[in-house]
């Protein structure tokens, strides 16, 4: 005999109540009126001694009724099946996911995290499976969820402990979203493989900072079976500040360069007073600049630098709390201004706002990194484009003479890029052959409606390298750009033409043709005011910049990267070696197009046949956003937060369910209630008989 | 104050008690419905035994001179004496021969308590009626004020035909009130009665002591002679109840479970403490306090009053004032 709700047995204690009431002297029936009770205090009720219970049979009946009632409430049942054992309940599989991104370098956070992870292991039940993962931008599997042959649970745990001890924080940014998804997928696949139907649990140990990337969670559905428990390691001091150099035109005054620097202080920071200084390895290279940034705000300030001195390569922020200096250094390679020349074949004046050159010449401001000059070719002669004098990119806005066509062809063959803007129907007719057979549509096929009003871009190939930067949902809206006029052309005869964009009337707007090493882009409408609003659009400058980037080909596109960002490499001249900030030299294979081992922030140098190119690698900005992440954001992605039930808990639940079912079938409580009713009937009859009033008839009825 | 120090005047422990047979039993007296008849019966019984007492009457006559002090009314200067002695003297006359008596009768609900066949209110009414009747026989002016927490009825003291009848009617029809508030009637008397007289307050004084002292002293400073008759039921004095019961406070309606055996001692000590406090106040103010059990013959009250007057006549400081022009 077992009980479903044993606690109800406590109800049996109420049999003490009739006994107690029997013993307590009742409130007397006598009632006196008295003039004033001002001199009286209430007397406490007193127990009277009764050595003998008068109506012991009645009392017994009542007590028995109460007992049976309490017993009925406990829902008794008989066990008929064999006991459930622990192996009947599904196992629990716990994956410990440790954040080892750069922000974990703060203060004692890393040690705390390792301690927390070890506590998680210690708190596991003996039957729980455990695996270990670590993540920054990449997910790293340290102990696989699949059970290793020949390893028992204790050995696995020891293995996890050893791996934890070996683990150290990296300089990467934390991509929490994809790490969580990755672990969840691993857990699920391991569970599917072994058909264990285990309770899957991820225990996230880390600082769970606001700067963590969660984008991956948006793209995929979170598996329902996996629960996430977060062990948030919050440092005692949540202060943190970071420093960044702003790429802007520097002012030069009195022999000083004045680069601008942004310092950001996190909300809730304890420290407000800082100092920024330029450094070169060990020595200060400028006067320190002291300033004050309130918590949660950022400040842009000038940090002057003498021009004559050797260029410092890092910016150091002082004053941040102890142990918080992981993001206090900003590396930068002293900029060498690149002279870029752009050839413009067109006769329009540079200051005529009706024409294209006006906008082209204003599109590129001078920056510390580059200076763009536009060389206009107005005559029919071809300028001398020898190796050094060749332009970076050519824009062709009017029909080329034969010599020019040959010159540009040669330029293209050697790897140059050019853009042809078909600015008139005549130009199509004149240049059509050179462009590989571009023809105007016959007038009968031309869409007159588009001629009368305007055309929009109806199709853009965002896979094409030219439009890849616009692929994001925020940037891919080209419907604001109206084309008043465009040349309706037919590319049927052009070999190798890849249409990148089409107008809404399905005529090509932009296409590219491979010519030797180089690429020739053709647009059927320009950005002059008569043609379109393209020059006014926000897409204009990024598009031109993108052309320049693509034209740069091998050259190092940028000199500043973040940790773990692959650095695109220029075409090899010979044997290439990268020297890391730690002094290691990494030899690159010939076919390598990127350098991915940017593991540490600092200055890297790429050595290629005696040519040295430097680039700086910094900690990602998002790592400096060290405020704790609101866990509700995780819940928004349907992630079930909280611990998964352990095997024992599940076993208990299963037992309860089975017991409920058993009890439900047996229903002994009904018989107990019937017994209670019978007892009460007898009690009523007996009480009626014993009472003084002659209620024999009533008693019989009862 | 110990219980022994509080004089309890009832049928058994006074000197008059020995002549109990010569008094009318209050129980049988109370069976007379008519209050006036009752009063007359008592007073006549009293007068029949009065010859034994050497003291009767209220006033002792004499006049005196008092030295003039600035502010005295120059009308009362004795010019002949001034001529004789070259000093100013004021002629002090006795105020008047007739007594002005105010009977203050508490008719709060606690007064309706009684265990001897009649209640304290009946006894208090009879006592008041008796005193009124007795004084009216002496041609003294008697007034009446009945109260509970408010003033129920007010008859100013006069001596005129029908006054005593009006008093009796007022006493007879007085309803049983609610709680006791002794302050108001005392304030009222003190405020309205300018002429000095005798104030007889008949109450059980079963209220917190509170401002009793202030109000009584106010009366005293107005020159009134105050006599306090505290009427109590024998049960209130000895708390002789035999079994535990719910006790119902007839004033507040509160119920309390009381075991008399356990509560008696506390009750008695609290009661004595209260009584002691009242006694102290009366002693301080020169007020005669008579604590009377309602099974005590009513004639004895008249004896008490006369005895008080006599005591005052002998030794107490007389409070006099210059005789006014009016009577």
């Amino acid at each position: 005999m077992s009980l479903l709700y044993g606690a109800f047995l406590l109800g049996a204690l109420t049999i003490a109540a009739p006994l107690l009431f029997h013993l307590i002297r009742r409130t007397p029936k006598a009632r006196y009126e008295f003039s004033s009770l001002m001199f009286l205090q209430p007397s406490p009720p007193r127990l009277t001694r009764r050595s003998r219970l008068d109506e012991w049979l009645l009392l017994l009946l009542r007590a028995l009724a109460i007992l049976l009632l309490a017993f009925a409430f406990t829902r008794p049942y008989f066990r008929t099946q064999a006991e459930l054992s622990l192996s009947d309940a599904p196992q629990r599989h716990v994956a410990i996911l440790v954040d080892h991104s750069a922000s974990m370098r703060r203060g004692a956070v890393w040690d705390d995290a390792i301690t927390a992870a070890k506590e998680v292991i210690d708190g596991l039940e003996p039957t729980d499976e455990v695996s270990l993962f670590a993540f920054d931008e990449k997910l790293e599997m340290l102990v696989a969820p699949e059970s290793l042959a020949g390893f028992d649970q204790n050995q696995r745990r020891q293995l996890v402990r050893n791996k934890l001890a070996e683990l150290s924080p990296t300089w990467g940014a934390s991509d929490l979203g994809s790490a969580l998804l990755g672990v969840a997928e691993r857990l699920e696949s391991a569970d599917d493989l072994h058909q264990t139907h285990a309770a899957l649990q991820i225990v996230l140990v880390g600082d769970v900072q606001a700067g963590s990337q969660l984008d991956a969670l948006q793209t995929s559905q979170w598996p329902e079976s996996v629960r996430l428990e977060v062990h948030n390691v919050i440092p005692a001091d949540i202060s943190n500040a970071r420093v960044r150099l702003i790429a802007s035109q520097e002012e030069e005054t009195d022999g000083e360069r004045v680069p601008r620097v942004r310092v950001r202080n996190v909300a809730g920071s304890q420290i407000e007073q800082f100092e920024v200084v330029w450094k070169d390895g060990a020595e200060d290279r400028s006067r320190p600049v002291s300033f004050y940034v309130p918590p949660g705000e950022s400040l842009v300030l000038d940090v002057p630098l003498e021009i004559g001195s050797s260029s410092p390569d890092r910016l150091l922020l002082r004053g941040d709390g102890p142990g918080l200096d992981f993001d206090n250094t900003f590396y930068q390679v002293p900029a060498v201004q690149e002279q870029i020349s752009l050839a413009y074949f067109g006769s329009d004046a540079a200051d005529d706002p009706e024409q294209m050159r006006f906008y082209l010449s204003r599109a590129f401001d001078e920056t510390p990194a580059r200076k763009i000059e536009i060389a206009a070719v107005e005559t029919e002669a071809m300028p001398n484009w020898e190796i050094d004098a060749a332009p970076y990119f050519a824009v062709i806005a009017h029909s080329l003479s034969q010599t020019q066509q040959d010159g540009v062809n040669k330029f293209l063959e050697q790897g140059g890029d050019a853009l042809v803007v078909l600015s008139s129907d005549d130009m199509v007719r004149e240049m059509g052959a050179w462009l590989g057979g571009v023809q105007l549509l016959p007038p009968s096929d031309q869409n007159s409606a588009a001629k009368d009003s305007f055309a929009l871009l109806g199709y853009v190939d965002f896979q094409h390298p030219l439009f890849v930067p616009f692929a994001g949902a925020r940037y891919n809206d080209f419907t604001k750009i109206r084309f008043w006029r465009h040349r309706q052309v037919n590319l049927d005869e052009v070999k190798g033409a890849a249409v990148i964009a089409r107008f809404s009337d399905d005529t090509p707007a932009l296409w590219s043709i491979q010519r030797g090493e180089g690429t020739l882009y053709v647009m059927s409408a320009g950005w002059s005011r008569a043609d379109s609003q393209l020059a006014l659009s926000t897409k204009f400058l990024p598009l031109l910049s993108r052309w320049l980037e693509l034209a740069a080909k091998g050259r190092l596109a940028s000199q500043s990267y973040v940790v773990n960002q692959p650095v695109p490499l220029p075409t090899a001249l010979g044997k290439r070696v990268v020297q890391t900030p730690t002094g290691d030299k990494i030899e690159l294979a010939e076919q390598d197009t990127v350098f991915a081992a940017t593991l540490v922030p600092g200055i890297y140098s790429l050595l290629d046949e005696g040519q040295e190119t430097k680039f700086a690698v910094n900690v990602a900005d998002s790592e400096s956003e060290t405020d704790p992440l609101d866990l509700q954001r995780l819940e928004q992605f349907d992630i079930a937060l909280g611990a998964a039930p352990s095997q024992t808990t599940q076993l208990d639940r299963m037992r309860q369910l089975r017991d409920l079912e058993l009890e439900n079938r047996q229903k002994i409580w009904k018989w107990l209630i019937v017994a209670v009713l019978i007892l009460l009937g007898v009690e009523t009859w007996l009480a009626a008989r014993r009472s003084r009033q002659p209620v024999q008839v009533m008693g019989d009825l009862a | 104050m110990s219980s022994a120090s509080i004089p309890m005047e009832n049928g058994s422990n006074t000197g008059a008690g020995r002549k109990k047979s010569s008094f009318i039993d209050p129980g049988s007296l109370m069976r007379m419905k008519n209050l006036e008849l009752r009063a007359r019966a008592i007073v006549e019984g009293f007068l029949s035994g009065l010859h034994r007492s050497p003291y009767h009457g209220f006033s002792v006559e004499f006049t005196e001179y008092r030295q003039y002090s600035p502010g005295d009314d120059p009308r009362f200067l004795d010019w002949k004496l001034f001529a004789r002695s070259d000093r100013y003297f004021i002629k002090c006359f006795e105020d008047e021969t007739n007594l002005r008596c105010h009977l203050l009768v508490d008719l709060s609900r606690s007064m309706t308590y009684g265990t001897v066949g009649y209640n304290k209110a009946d006894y208090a009414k009879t006592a008041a009626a008796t005193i009124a009747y007795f004084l009216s026989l002496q041609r003294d002016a008697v007034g009446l004020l009945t109260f509970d927490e408010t003033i129920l009825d007010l008859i100013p003291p006069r001596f005129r035909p029908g006054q005593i009848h009006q008093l009796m009617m007022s006493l007879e029809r007085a309803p049983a009130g609610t709680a006791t508030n002794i302050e108001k009637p005392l304030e009222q008397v003190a405020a309205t009665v300018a002429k000095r007289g005798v104030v007889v307050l008949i109450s059980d004084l079963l209220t917190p002591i509170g401002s009793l002292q202030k109000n009584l002293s106010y009366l005293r400073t107005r020159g009134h002679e105050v006599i306090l008759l505290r009427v109590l039921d024998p049960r209130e004095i000895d708390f002789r109840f035999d079994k535990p019961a719910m006790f119902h406070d007839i004033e507040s309606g509160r119920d309390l479970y009381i075991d008399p055996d356990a509560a008696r001692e506390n009750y008695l000590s609290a009661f004595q403490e209260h009584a002691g406090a009242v006694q102290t106040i009366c002693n301080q103010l020169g007020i005669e306090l008579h604590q009377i059990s309602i099974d005590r013959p009513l004639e004895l009250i008249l004896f008490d009053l006369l005895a008080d007057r006599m005591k005052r006549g002998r030794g107490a400081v007389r409070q006099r004032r210059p005789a006014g022009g009016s009577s």
Side-chain angles (χ1 to χ4, degrees):
Chain A
M1 176 76 77
S2 306
L3 306 176
L4 211 54
Y5 305 114
F8 277 109
L9 267 187
L10 286 177
L13 291 179
T14 48
I15 57 168
L19 269 170
L20 206 65
F21 291 141
H22 196 76
L23 292 176
I24 291 177
R25 184 186 281 183
R26 286 199 213 144
T27 307
K29 282 172 187 160
R31 189 165 180 277
Y32 294 136
E33 291 208 323
F34 199 60
S35 50
S36 174
L37 300 182
M38 60 186 285
F39 304 121
L40 287 168
Q41 295 295 322
S43 309
R46 288 195 302 182
L47 293 178
T48 53
R49 286 187 195 159
R50 294 204 181 190
S51 51
R52 190 167 59 87
L53 293 170
D54 300 333
E55 299 284 350
W56 62 269
L57 190 58
L58 273 181
L59 193 67
L60 203 69
L61 279 174
R62 286 168 189 165
L64 201 60
I66 289 174
L67 264 180
L68 279 183
L69 198 63
F71 191 50
F73 268 96
T74 60
R75 313 278 289 273
Y77 63 96
F78 293 100
R79 276 194 206 279
T80 51
Q81 291 177 355
E83 276 290 306
L84 286 171
S85 72
L86 201 57
S87 56
D88 295 330
Q91 254 186 329
R92 184 165 65 157
H93 195 139
V94 178
I96 300 171
L97 177 61
V98 181
D99 179 3
H100 65 154
S101 62
S103 62
M104 297 293 287
R105 291 174 174 270
R106 285 183 291 156
V109 171
W110 180 250
D111 293 339
D112 291 350
I114 294 298
T115 316
K118 284 183 176 162
E119 277 169 8
V120 170
I121 299 169
D122 295 341
L124 291 178
E125 294 202 351
T127 53
D128 290 342
E129 284 277 341
V130 63
S131 51
L132 179 67
F133 296 81
F135 75 100
D136 46 3
E137 276 154 337
K138 302 181 292 287
L139 180 63
E140 207 177 326
M141 185 166 67
L142 301 173
V143 178
E146 294 83 17
S147 33
L148 301 171
F151 273 89
D152 68 5
Q153 295 293 357
N154 284 333
Q155 283 167 319
R156 269 179 78 83
R157 272 166 213 197
Q158 196 49 49
L159 184 65
V160 170
R161 281 197 191 93
N162 294 344
K163 290 277 184 189
L164 268 178
E166 289 168 16
L167 207 57
S168 63
T170 65
W171 289 98
S174 50
D175 186 356
L176 179 61
S178 45
L180 283 176
L181 272 180
V183 177
E185 278 162 17
R186 288 291 180 91
L187 278 180
E188 271 211 316
S189 62
D191 190 44
D192 283 348
L193 189 67
H194 300 288
Q195 289 291 312
T196 48
H197 303 292
L200 304 178
Q201 160 99 56
I202 299 176
V203 179
L204 172 63
V205 181
D207 57 354
V208 198
Q209 62 183 117
S212 306
Q213 289 287 317
L214 296 176
D215 298 349
L217 289 171
Q218 270 169 339
T219 54
S220 306
Q221 180 70 31
W222 182 261
E224 271 178 37
S225 56
V226 184
R227 295 183 73 86
L228 171 67
E229 193 183 352
V230 180
H231 284 250
N232 204 344
V233 183
I234 297 171
D237 184 8
I238 57 162
S239 311
N240 186 32
R242 68 149 193 251
V243 62
R244 288 287 174 274
L245 188 70
I246 304 175
S248 70
Q249 200 151 14
E250 294 169 7
E251 294 166 22
E252 291 187 14
T253 45
D254 304 334
E256 278 186 334
R257 271 171 56 212
V258 188
R260 312 191 83 187
V261 162
R262 172 180 283 128
V263 175
R264 194 179 150 71
N265 198 0
V266 296
S269 178
Q270 307 279 329
I271 300 163
E272 295 170 335
Q273 195 68 43
F274 300 97
E275 201 178 78
V276 171
V277 67
W278 283 103
K279 271 181 83 95
D280 177 12
E283 287 179 38
D284 286 6
R285 288 292 174 187
S286 71
R287 281 180 282 116
V289 178
S290 297
F291 56 93
Y292 165 86
V293 188
E297 295 190 16
S298 67
L299 178 77
V300 175
L301 67 154
D302 298 337
V303 183
L305 181 65
E306 276 178 45
I307 288 177
S309 64
S310 67
S311 302
D313 59 1
R314 65 198 71 178
L315 196 60
L316 187 70
L317 177 76
R318 290 181 189 149
D320 207 357
L324 301 174
D325 46 4
F326 73 100
D327 57 352
N328 288 359
T329 311
F330 183 82
Y331 297 95
Q332 70 123 16
V333 174
V336 179
Q337 200 176 48
E338 198 181 358
Q339 303 286 330
I340 295 175
S341 72
L342 221 71
Y344 182 79
F345 291 85
S347 51
D348 38 311
D351 53 356
D352 179 5
E354 295 293 324
Q355 300 297 327
M356 293 194 287
R357 188 180 157 196
F358 177 81
Y359 299 101
L360 192 65
S361 58
R362 279 159 181 75
F364 302 105
D365 275 340
E366 186 183 340
T367 67
R370 70 181 182 196
K371 184 180 181 185
I372 293 176
E373 280 178 11
I374 294 173
V377 183
E378 293 173 18
T379 58
E380 294 195 347
M382 180 67 200
N384 181 19
W385 285 355
E386 289 308 320
I387 294 175
D388 290 343
Y392 210 77
F393 189 67
V395 178
I396 300 159
H398 74 181
S399 301
L400 298 179
S401 67
Q402 193 55 49
T403 47
Q404 284 173 334
Q405 287 179 6
D406 293 344
V408 173
N409 269 343
K410 198 176 166 195
F411 169 68
L412 290 171
E413 294 290 340
Q414 286 173 352
D417 282 7
L419 168 68
V420 177
V421 180
L422 297 173
S423 51
S424 65
D425 286 356
D426 291 340
M427 188 175 168
V428 180
R429 287 186 204 103
E430 288 165 19
M431 299 278 290
W434 183 68
L435 292 173
V438 179
Q439 290 172 338
L440 281 174
L441 281 181
S444 56
D445 290 353
Q446 292 201 1
N447 189 339
S448 57
K451 277 195 161 178
D452 295 340
S453 60
F454 57 87
L456 300 175
L457 285 180
Y459 159 79
V460 176
D461 179 11
F462 289 108
Q463 306 288 328
H464 192 275
L466 185 62
F467 281 101
V468 162
F470 300 98
R474 281 171 66 189
Y475 314 110
N476 66 3
D477 180 14
F478 280 79
T479 58
K480 298 266 165 57
I481 309 168
R482 296 178 180 190
F483 290 85
W484 312 120
R485 285 190 328 191
H486 66 276
R487 268 45 69 185
Q488 300 186 14
V489 295
N490 183 358
L491 300 185
D492 291 347
E493 293 183 13
V494 184
K495 283 181 185 164
V499 177
I500 306 169
R502 283 179 189 280
F503 288 110
S504 38
D505 59 8
D506 213 27
T507 55
L510 174 62
W511 64 95
S512 67
I513 308 162
Q514 208 65 31
R515 287 261 172 104
E517 296 270 305
T519 311
L520 180 66
Y521 297 91
V522 190
M523 283 178 79
S524 60
W527 54 86
S528 62
R529 272 173 59 174
D531 264 12
S532 72
Q533 292 180 322
L534 179 61
L536 306 178
S537 151
T538 53
K539 311 287 190 236
F540 183 57
L541 292 187
L543 196 61
L544 287 182
S545 300
R546 187 64 186 155
W547 261 312
L548 286 190
E549 271 176 44
L550 291 177
K553 290 202 177 109
R555 274 160 287 195
L556 212 51
S558 163
Q559 289 171 322
S560 185
Y561 299 87
V562 295
V563 173
N564 286 345
Q565 187 183 6
V567 176
L569 295 170
T571 5
L573 300 175
K575 196 180 168 193
R576 295 174 301 179
V577 174
V578 174
Q579 186 169 9
T580 64
T582 50
D584 302 336
K585 291 193 174 175
I586 301 171
E587 286 188 18
L588 299 178
E590 216 168 293
Q591 67 274 14
D592 282 352
T593 53
V594 290
F595 172 71
T598 50
L599 302 175
V600 185
I603 306 289
Y604 289 69
S605 345
L606 170 67
L607 303 163
D608 189 1
E609 288 290 319
Q611 258 194 333
E612 186 181 13
T613 319
K614 286 189 172 177
F615 56 91
V617 172
N618 284 299
V619 175
D621 284 2
S622 60
E623 275 307 287
S624 300
E625 293 169 29
T626 50
D627 314 321
L629 179 77
D630 186 5
L631 290 186
Q632 276 187 350
R633 281 193 61 201
L634 292 178
E635 277 181 324
Q636 284 167 2
F637 297 118
D638 288 340
I639 299 181
L641 291 182
S646 67
Q647 200 174 12
T648 334
T649 323
Q650 297 208 53
L651 184 67
D652 284 348
R653 271 188 211 165
M654 284 170 69
R655 273 190 192 141
Q656 266 177 17
L657 269 179
R658 197 202 58 180
D659 291 352
L660 261 179
E661 206 178 316
L662 262 181
E663 198 276 338
N664 219 6
R665 258 186 276 145
Q666 296 175 356
K667 286 197 171 140
I668 298 176
W669 64 272
K670 283 189 176 174
W671 296 108
L672 287 170
I673 294 290
V674 170
V676 168
L677 287 176
I678 292 171
L679 273 178
L680 287 179
V682 173
E683 189 266 348
T684 313
W685 175 75
L686 206 62
R689 242 181 86 124
R690 296 219 174 163
S691 60
R692 288 171 207 159
Q693 292 154 346
V695 282
Q696 195 67 37
V697 183
M698 281 178 71
D700 287 342
L701 282 175
Chain B
M1 184 175 285
S2 70
S3 60
S5 64
I6 306 222
M8 185 55 58
E9 295 160 14
N10 56 25
S12 59
N13 63 354
T14 56
R18 288 189 296 275
K19 304 181 186 76
K20 194 175 179 181
S21 56
S22 65
F23 298 117
I24 309 166
D25 168 42
S28 41
L29 192 70
M30 289 301 168
R31 280 194 279 277
M32 295 169 76
K33 287 281 178 219
N34 191 311
L35 192 61
E36 193 171 346
L37 280 182
R38 249 187 265 167
R40 189 173 289 179
I42 298 164
V43 171
E44 277 167 4
F46 170 72
L47 285 179
S48 66
L50 198 62
H51 61 276
R52 288 191 198 93
S53 167
Y55 309 106
H56 64 91
F58 287 102
S59 57
V60 184
E61 292 180 19
F62 69 90
T63 321
E64 65 180 4
Y65 285 112
R66 182 166 62 73
Q67 199 152 16
Y68 172 81
S69 60
D72 282 342
D73 195 338
R75 277 188 296 169
F76 305 119
L77 275 175
D78 191 331
W79 295 111
K80 287 178 186 166
L81 194 59
F82 172 64
R84 212 164 41 221
S85 63
D86 206 17
R87 284 180 189 168
Y88 294 111
F89 282 99
I90 296 283
K91 274 185 288 187
C92 292
F93 297 102
E94 199 164 273
D95 185 5
E96 58 187 347
T97 50
N98 281 352
L99 183 75
R100 298 173 70 84
C101 179
H102 302 269
L103 296 169
L104 270 55
V105 183
D106 177 7
L107 290 176
S108 64
R109 196 166 288 172
S110 67
M111 289 290 284
T112 60
Y113 180 70
T115 55
V116 289
Y118 49 90
N119 58 34
K120 294 189 281 183
D122 292 336
Y123 192 87
K125 284 178 190 173
T126 314
T130 307
I131 295 166
Y133 188 74
F134 177 75
L135 291 177
S136 72
L137 283 183
Q138 296 198 103
R139 310 182 68 78
D140 289 325
V142 187
L144 175 72
L145 192 151
T146 53
F147 64 93
D148 50 357
E149 29 178 19
T150 56
I151 291 166
L152 299 172
D153 214 343
L154 173 63
I155 301 170
R158 285 202 185 95
F159 177 71
R160 63 175 189 194
Q163 170 83 358
I164 193 71
H165 184 65
Q166 200 186 346
L167 278 181
M168 298 295 169
M169 292 298 286
S170 169
L171 274 174
E172 258 182 305
R173 69 162 179 259
T178 52
T180 318
N181 184 357
I182 221 159
E183 288 176 35
K184 263 200 184 159
L186 291 182
E187 266 173 28
Q188 175 91 1
V189 171
T192 55
V193 183
K195 280 198 177 152
R196 129 188 129 83
V198 176
V199 175
V200 180
L201 173 60
I202 308 173
S203 169
D204 55 4
L205 289 180
L206 288 178
T207 56
I209 295 291
S211 54
L212 186 67
Q213 176 164 25
K214 193 186 86 188
N215 287 296
L216 285 175
S217 66
Y218 195 32
L219 270 185
R220 286 290 293 144
T221 49
R222 296 300 295 259
H224 296 292
E225 184 181 326
V226 182
I227 296 165
L228 226 164
L229 300 181
R230 187 178 191 197
V231 286
L232 291 167
D233 188 86
R235 285 282 173 89
E236 289 172 344
I237 297 163
D238 56 18
F239 203 67
R240 297 245 167 257
F241 291 95
D242 51 353
K243 57 186 177 185
M246 291 303 290
F247 276 66
H248 178 73
D249 187 327
I250 50 181
E251 267 195 7
S252 65
R254 202 157 58 105
D255 282 329
L256 273 188
Y257 170 74
I258 306 285
D259 187 346
D261 293 338
R264 181 174 294 119
E265 199 175 324
N266 284 336
Y267 175 85
L268 289 180
S269 77
F271 182 78
Q272 295 296 356
E273 196 182 322
H274 183 262
V278 174
Q279 183 70 58
T280 313
I281 291 170
C282 292
N283 288 348
Q284 283 169 357
L285 297 174
I287 293 170
E288 285 302 325
L289 169 70
H290 298 279
Q291 196 154 280
I292 299 161
S293 174
I294 59 169
D295 56 355
R296 187 172 182 246
L298 281 145
E299 294 97 315
L300 292 173
I301 292 174
L302 293 178
F303 276 117
D304 292 339
L305 289 182
L306 290 183
D308 285 350
R309 296 289 302 168
M310 191 186 74
K311 239 197 280 180
R312 236 160 235 289
R314 273 191 204 145
V317 177
R318 285 190 194 87
Q319 294 189 353
R320 299 256 171 159
R321 58 168 210 179
S326 61
S327 59

